[in-house]
Amino acid sequence: MRQPDLGRLYVDGREVAAVELARSNAQKRRGLLGRDGVAGGFVLQPCHQVHTFRMRFALDVAYLDRAGRVLVTRSMPPGRIGPLLLRSRSILEAEAGAFEGWGLATGSTVTWQLG
């Protein structure tokens, strides 16, 4: 399986972390399973819903629209399923607590640059 694309993550124009972008079905199915954490963010695109079954750590989850605006955020401990949000184009995942440090909240704009 091909690895997710790597790049930099921005919140409201500020660089905040490294990012991995999962686009293929295989990459999205694998997601963060089997990891003990994530350095930065992990974006699933396209995506409307996520779960934390078999996860080893809690996540911050942000549902993003086509423009990268945050529609909803959630903190999700392992063993949960997030809401299905058909308006979302992609979902950003990070270790629980990361969003607060990045200043990410509903209405923020999230972008990334690969490479």
Side-chain angles (χ1 to χ4, degrees), residues 50-96:
V50 294
H51 67 82
T52 58
F53 296 113
R54 299 186 352 225
M55 292 292 298
R56 297 179 181 168
F57 56 98
L59 295 177
D60 282 346
V61 176
Y63 291 73
L64 311 175
D65 70 9
R66 289 188 181 276
R69 281 185 306 272
V70 177
L71 300 168
V72 175
T73 63
R74 293 277 190 272
S75 292
M76 294 179 58
R80 300 293 194 276
I81 188 162
L84 173 64
L85 193 57
L86 296 177
R87 292 183 308 151
S88 71
R89 171 69 177 143
S90 50
I91 294 180
L92 169 64
E93 299 177 334
E95 286 193 35

Side-chain angles (χ1 to χ4, degrees), residues 88-110:
S88 71
R89 171 69 177 143
S90 50
I91 294 180
L92 169 64
E93 299 177 334
E95 286 193 35
F99 288 0
E100 183 178 353
W102 298 344
L104 186 147
T106 301
S108 296
T109 300
V110 175

